Amino acid sequence: MEEVDVEPPVTNIPAAAAGKHLGFAWGPGDILCNMMMYPCPLSLSLNTKLLPSVLVRKDEDIYSPILRKLFNESHHIFVGLQTIREDLPSKNKKPQFVSISKNYRSVIRACMEELQQVADAEVATQYGDQVSILLAIELIWNLCEVLFIDAAPAGSLLLHLLDWVRLHKADVDEKARDVLQSESPAEHESYWDVPSGTQTLTEFDVKWRHWHEEVDRCLQDNSFASNQHLEAICKILVGDEDTLLEHKDLLSTWYHFLVTRLLFCHPTVKPTELHYYAQSCLTMFLDSRSAPEPLDSILLAAFEFDIHQVIKDCSIALNNWWFVAHLTDLLDHCKLLQSHNLHFGSNLREFLLLEYASGLFTHHSLWQLAVDYFDHCPEFGRVYLELQIERVPLDTERKALKVLRICEQRQMSEQVRSICKIMAMRALRNNRLGSALSWSIRAKDAAFATLISERFLQDYCAKGTFSDLDLIDNLGPAMLLSDRLTFLGKYREFHKLYGEKRFREAAKLLLSLMTAKIAPRSFWMTLLTDALPLLEQKEVSFQDTFDLQKHTCVSLQEEDIEVTKVELLRLALARNLAMAIVKEGTVEA
């Protein structure tokens, strides 16, 4: 999906969504995880309240066409991120990382919009829940982008946070448009809800402090005491916390309250100060009887710049690997996770990517995406891929060829042999000898190629013709895989020479086959029978005839053959030898 330069359309998180549980699940047994470091997000018994309680079933929700787009599009972004050169200066890479982060968010938003469009009466609840899940994911990702990836400094930080809140407060943009489009914006009723300036941080800070002191002096003088509403507005403008709390019902969340408080009290807040204001706003906003919910804890950890706690809490609360795997990968490329390795050998990025990719392998088509994720896990990716690729059901030859191509590109010779043997056995059971031989050659399995070659020869003896001539005629060097396969290929070549009336070449080839003794004993009589018409041909020389007779006689002595056939062979040998002697004598004279 293309990056969008403008901010995305806003969608409010439903109020009913706060306090419920969010969850995708790949299913038991599909994911290996380290329970001590990062608990496995499979259990639905966690007492978490975040978003709608949705156990996403493998064959329904998470594999719906819309959500598959999320996986497919994010896969393209992931692969592109891996191509960014490590040796580039950090200042050159930062814009690319911010752009990639926005691309990820654009994919999430596109899926949200499509889910909203296709929702109807029967599935409104299901799609509504999925939209709420994606909204929460985008909310967290956007904050991480502001704080960690873009790393906005003091001054612009508050502007970024205002944008962050605005994305989930739908009426701000509409009000701003109404104000700017009015004949007299300064007199518009919503003017004071949306003004903004372009001065520098220092200019703004000086002007703001002067204005703040002036308003505060008026409040101390009781200048507005005659109008309680005007006095309340002025108290809000100077950031009076008691007044803000009295009107907290106008704010949907504590982090909305946080940004409001920063706007009126500390507009030039520094990143290092955020955690203090975030914690105090959470404490002030929540009811004393209420405990922070998982989403609160995740956002608070982000404001505290505790990246690893954000990832850990998301791994538990979100109940899926997609979000944490892609966010962690991006943060790792930003060099924000370099000091954190897991005690079992892998780093955090690789661990989460391995888990996410392992889940993809349970799906009938998404497994192909997982291959690239394993490829970019240098420590354990190869091992995981070798284990998972063997579990892909080879339903069709087309799918088997896809799997085989993946293995061949990565020199996974053991898996290549295994796949080819499976497909060869299946073809043989279905009496598809050509396919079985092709798979056995690809597996370089000499024993199985010998077995199938004998089946070809048995069929020839029974029917008098070969099946799959195109394959046999184009064996090339592959026929050297086994003696029996070599014999099959050469014997077919003998038939072609005979059909083209190239009798002398055919006789020499037949003679070499008899001399090499690579034919099965059960096929000797067929070879002797094939020799009969050659003995009658004028093109066959005396020496060729003599050699053919010699080996034919030896074969007659070793083989139990019907008396009638023996007599015919002897008669043909004697007649041909006489003709050859006469011919040779004539030539010499």
Side-chain angles (χ1 to χ4, degrees):
M1 304 186 68
E2 296 182 358
E3 177 190 352
V4 290
D5 294 325
V6 296
E7 290 297 341
V10 290
T11 312
N12 287 326
I13 297 181
K20 293 189 178 180
H21 179 67
L22 176 156
F24 289 166
W26 295 110
D30 292 332
I31 297 178
L32 304 172
C33 65
N34 183 279
M35 296 295 292
M36 297 176 65
M37 190 65 195
Y38 283 86
C40 177
L42 289 175
S43 172
L44 295 177
S45 62
L46 294 169
N47 186 21
T48 55
K49 296 180 178 178
L50 185 59
L51 287 173
S53 177
V54 182
L55 173 60
V56 184
R57 295 170 292 279
K58 293 184 198 177
D59 55 348
E60 295 179 24
D61 299 337
I62 204 164
Y63 297 122
S64 69
I66 296 173
L67 289 178
R68 279 206 300 272
K69 289 182 182 179
L70 174 67
F71 303 131
N72 281 304
E73 296 295 339
S74 59
H75 163 261
H76 294 313
I77 300 171
F78 169 83
V79 172
L81 174 58
Q82 313 312 308
T83 63
I84 294 180
R85 289 169 48 194
E86 289 289 328
D87 58 346
L88 286 177
S90 298
K91 64 178 181 179
N92 294 345
K93 290 191 285 189
K94 180 179 175 180
Q96 296 183 63
F97 292 146
V98 173
S99 174
I100 287 170
S101 179
K102 289 182 178 180
N103 283 345
Y104 274 123
R105 289 200 291 120
S106 71
V107 170
I108 298 171
R109 291 194 303 272
C111 288
M112 285 192 293
E113 293 171 6
E114 193 165 352
L115 283 169
Q116 288 173 324
Q117 290 173 4
V118 301
D120 55 36
E122 294 182 5
V123 292
T125 302
Q126 173 191 337
Y127 282 122
D129 290 345
Q130 291 179 352
V131 169
S132 298
I133 291 168
L134 294 175
L135 277 168
I137 287 175
E138 205 252 348
L139 177 72
I140 299 167
W141 190 302
N142 194 356
L143 182 59
C144 291
E145 179 185 303
V146 170
L147 299 179
F148 306 142
I149 302 169
D150 199 8
S156 63
L157 175 59
L158 180 60
L159 298 178
H160 283 81
L161 292 176
L162 283 169
D163 288 339
W164 172 63
V165 169
R166 179 176 59 82
L167 291 178
H168 302 278
K169 193 66 178 173
D171 57 347
V172 177
D173 284 340
E174 295 175 6
K175 287 183 178 180
R177 280 194 297 270
D178 291 341
V179 170
L180 294 174
Q181 291 172 2
S182 64
E183 294 182 1
S184 178
E187 297 178 3
H188 194 279
E189 61 179 0
S190 299
Y191 175 78
W192 291 104
D193 295 336
V194 293
S196 63
T198 59
Q199 61 261 36
T200 66
L201 177 62
T202 304
E203 291 174 338
F204 173 80
D205 189 53
V206 170
K207 292 179 181 179
W208 180 83
R209 289 183 184 279
H210 177 74
W211 171 84
H212 192 276
E213 291 171 359
E214 183 68 19
V215 175
D216 191 51
R217 184 185 59 78
C218 291
L219 286 172
Q220 298 298 329
D221 293 345
N222 293 319
S223 300
F224 308 120
S226 61
N227 189 322
Q228 62 176 356
H229 296 300
L230 180 59
E231 186 176 43
I233 290 173
C234 289
K235 287 183 178 180
I236 290 173
L237 291 175
V238 296
D240 183 76
E241 292 182 351
D242 293 335
T243 305
L244 288 173
L245 285 172
E246 287 175 9
H247 296 84
K248 74 175 185 179
D249 56 313
L250 299 175
L251 307 174
S252 55
T253 61
W254 68 268
Y255 46 88
H256 191 180
F257 174 59
L258 165 66
V259 177
T260 301
R261 183 185 175 194
L262 293 175
L263 176 65
F264 295 125
C265 300
H266 311 282
T268 58
V269 64
K270 298 176 182 177
T272 54
E273 301 169 339
L274 274 179
H275 69 95
Y276 163 75
Y277 294 114
Q279 182 62 68
S280 61
C281 285
L282 177 62
T283 303
M284 287 190 291
F285 191 83
L286 292 181
D287 192 295
S288 59
R289 295 166 295 179
S290 302
E293 294 172 358
L295 180 57
D296 302 327
S297 300
I298 293 169
L299 297 177
L300 186 61
F303 284 121
E304 293 173 348
F305 286 83
D306 190 342
I307 296 177
H308 297 102
Q309 192 62 42
V310 171
I311 295 170
K312 182 176 180 179
D313 289 348
C314 287
S315 297
I316 299 171
L318 294 179
N319 218 20
N320 79 97
W321 296 113
W322 180 89
F323 173 75
V324 290
H326 290 89
L327 179 62
T328 303
D329 174 60
L330 180 55
L331 293 175
D332 186 75
H333 277 82
C334 295
K335 306 297 183 185
L336 297 173
L337 298 171
Q338 296 305 303
S339 61
H340 194 85
N341 288 323
L342 304 185
H343 67 274
F344 52 81
S346 179
N347 60 40
L348 179 58
R349 169 192 172 273
E350 180 159 322
F351 168 79
L352 294 171
L353 288 176
L354 290 173
E355 300 310 313
Y356 172 64
S358 296
L360 290 179
F361 253 97
T362 65
H363 188 264
H364 64 87
S365 64
L366 294 177
W367 65 270
Q368 298 174 78
L369 305 181
V371 175
D372 286 325
Y373 289 95
F374 285 141
D375 282 345
H376 293 288
C377 293
E379 195 159 355
F380 295 120
R382 171 82 176 205
V383 176
Y384 268 66
L385 179 58
E386 288 175 351
L387 291 173
Q388 293 289 349
I389 203 79
E390 294 177 350
R391 300 177 185 176
V392 177
L394 306 177
D395 306 319
T396 63
E397 283 209 7
R398 183 181 177 186
K399 189 172 183 180
L401 288 170
K402 282 184 180 180
V403 178
L404 190 66
R405 188 159 51 249
I406 289 170
C407 294
E408 288 177 336
Q409 290 170 350
R410 291 157 181 80
Q411 288 81 48
M412 297 164 58
S413 54
E414 196 172 317
Q415 284 69 30
V416 168
R417 284 193 297 270
S418 175
I419 293 166
C420 291
K421 285 182 180 180
I422 291 170
M423 297 306 294
M425 286 295 296
R426 185 180 298 171
L428 187 59
R429 284 196 298 269
N430 295 325
N431 203 34
R432 296 168 55 230
L433 297 182
S435 178
L437 181 58
S438 178
W439 283 111
S440 64
I441 291 172
R442 204 157 186 172
K444 295 181 172 58
D445 189 333
F448 205 73
T450 297
L451 174 65
I452 299 170
S453 299
E454 293 210 2
R455 284 285 302 271
F456 266 105
L457 295 174
Q458 290 169 9
D459 272 13
Y460 173 78
C461 291
K463 302 175 183 176
T465 57
F466 282 113
S467 59
D468 300 286
L469 288 179
D470 286 344
L471 174 63
I472 301 175
D473 287 344
N474 294 283
L475 285 173
M479 71 171 65
L480 301 177
L481 182 60
S482 76
D483 287 348
R484 198 68 82 242
L485 183 59
T486 302
F487 175 78
L488 175 64
K490 289 298 182 180
Y491 185 65
R492 166 58 189 160
E493 188 179 333
F494 159 77
H495 272 267
K496 289 177 67 178
L497 292 172
Y498 190 89
E500 295 167 2
K501 300 186 183 302
R502 296 158 63 185
F503 299 122
R504 185 164 189 178
E505 293 173 62
K508 288 184 177 296
L509 180 54
L510 184 62
L511 180 59
S512 67
L513 290 177
M514 296 173 72
T515 306
K517 294 189 178 297
I518 58 175
R521 292 184 64 87
S522 59
F523 209 75
W524 282 5
M525 189 60 208
T526 304
L527 291 179
L528 296 175
T529 305
D530 289 330
L532 283 175
L534 289 176
L535 294 173
E536 301 292 333
Q537 302 302 323
K538 296 178 181 180
E539 292 85 349
V540 180
S541 69
F542 170 77
Q543 188 59 47
D544 293 334
T545 302
F546 182 78
D547 290 337
L548 277 173
Q549 288 176 332
K550 174 184 173 183
H551 289 287
T552 301
C553 290
V554 172
S555 300
L556 287 174
Q557 293 172 3
E558 296 178 357
E559 189 67 22
D560 182 18
I561 306 174
E562 296 177 19
V563 176
T564 305
K565 290 185 178 180
V566 171
E567 292 301 324
L568 287 172
L569 284 169
R570 284 177 175 166
L571 179 61
L573 287 171
R575 185 169 58 248
N576 186 267
L577 183 58
M579 290 171 57
I581 291 172
V582 171
K583 181 180 177 182
E584 291 293 327
T586 304
V587 172
E588 287 180 5

